[in-house]
DNA sequence: GAAAAACGTTACGCATGCGTTCCATTTTCG
DNA sequence: CGAAAATGGAACGCATGCGTAACGTTTTTC
């Protein structure tokens, strides 16, 4: 069930959500951090640093640092993979789920406000 | 003509556009810069530093710096208001319009890819 | 006309993210 | 086993954005 948007609606939607996010300023994630967080929550696990780096086309330290930051914010969690102790498995958290739930609400709300 | 999205669709849309933007990495605007740019292009002029600061609920230097950066990228332009020379009027550019046109296309494209 | 207000900018010290490079640990392979 | 590969992280110097406070210019106010 695809969604058909006009150019004006598409930008209006992006604007509304961005503005809302900036004004509230709860936590200010980078676009990269946002993409990482969404990937973790929308794509089936498991997720590793290397996998995320390849998926987003960025270097590994970028992922490590993003996980550091978002870990402190309680949005994600890291645990070592006991089956292959070189790997780190990235886990979801309640805080992360709540954060994205609010983001989703914001997107839906802005979608509802759209004019044709 | 509002758009009704499910929670999953809303996050999927945001994810798709963010991922696309990160991968391409043409120019990496802050969420604030993005909101400022969209405001300038979607809300009728004139736009001033003070007005933008109030609208986005940020301080004036934030606007000045964002205009510096986006000015160098060719996305916006600044000219002094000759009627009241204290003011600076923020103008759109061809580059900015093209940039947002591509963003809008990305949003529409992701909207079309949505599953129910 | 002089003082006050308004506007945008600059200066400062600080925090955070970046890319490159190197490293420690663990696993794989000959 | 021992060498090679793979994984995630730390270290470094750098670039950019932030908030606060001050400034220069221009306009308004009395």
């Amino acid at each position: 069930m695809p969604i058909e948007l006009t150019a004006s609606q598409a930008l209006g939607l992006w604007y509304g959500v961005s503005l809302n996010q900036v004004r509230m300023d709860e936590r200010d994630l980078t676009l990269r951090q946002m993409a990482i967080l969404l990937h973790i929550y929308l794509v089936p696990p498991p997720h590793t640093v290397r996998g995320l780096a390849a998926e987003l086309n960025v270097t590994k330290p970028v992922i490590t640092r993003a996980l550091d930051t978002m870990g402190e914010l309680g949005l994600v969690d890291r645990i070592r993979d006991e089956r292959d102790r070189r790997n780190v498995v990235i886990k979801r958290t309640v805080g992360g789920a709540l954060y994205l739930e609010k983001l989703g609400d914001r997107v839906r709300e802005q979608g509802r406000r759209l004019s044709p």
Side-chain angles (χ1 to χ4, degrees), chain A residues 3-114:
Chain A
I3 302 291
E4 278 297 339
L5 295 167
T6 66
S8 170
Q9 284 178 325
L11 289 178
L13 179 66
W14 205 259
Y15 172 56
V17 178
S18 299
L19 185 60
N20 199 305
Q21 194 96 346
V22 167
R23 275 183 174 147
M24 299 316 172
D25 193 37
E26 312 180 15
R27 272 165 292 195
D28 207 16
L29 297 190
T30 302
L31 194 64
R32 287 177 166 189
Q33 294 171 338
M34 181 69 85
I36 292 168
L37 186 63
L38 282 162
H39 183 90
I40 294 168
Y41 280 80
L42 295 183
V43 176
H47 302 293
T48 66
V49 172
R50 192 165 202 80
L52 282 169
E55 175 74 12
L56 302 194
N57 193 30
V58 297
T59 60
K60 283 187 299 177
V62 167
I63 306 294
T64 295
R65 282 186 297 249
L67 294 179
D68 287 344
T69 301
M70 294 193 291
E72 287 174 10
L73 294 175
L75 300 178
V76 297
D77 206 5
R78 265 186 291 199
I79 56 176
R80 278 232 105 82
D81 181 357
E82 289 302 330
R83 293 157 36 89
D84 183 342
R85 293 183 46 77
R86 287 174 303 184
N87 288 346
V88 162
V89 180
I90 298 146
K91 309 285 278 184
R92 304 167 183 173
T93 66
V94 175
L98 285 175
Y99 179 84
L100 289 186
E101 190 176 316
K102 277 189 277 185
L103 174 64
D105 285 345
R106 243 170 254 149
V107 175
R108 299 180 69 194
E109 167 73 15
Q110 291 302 322
R112 260 182 248 113
R113 288 180 189 273
L114 284 181

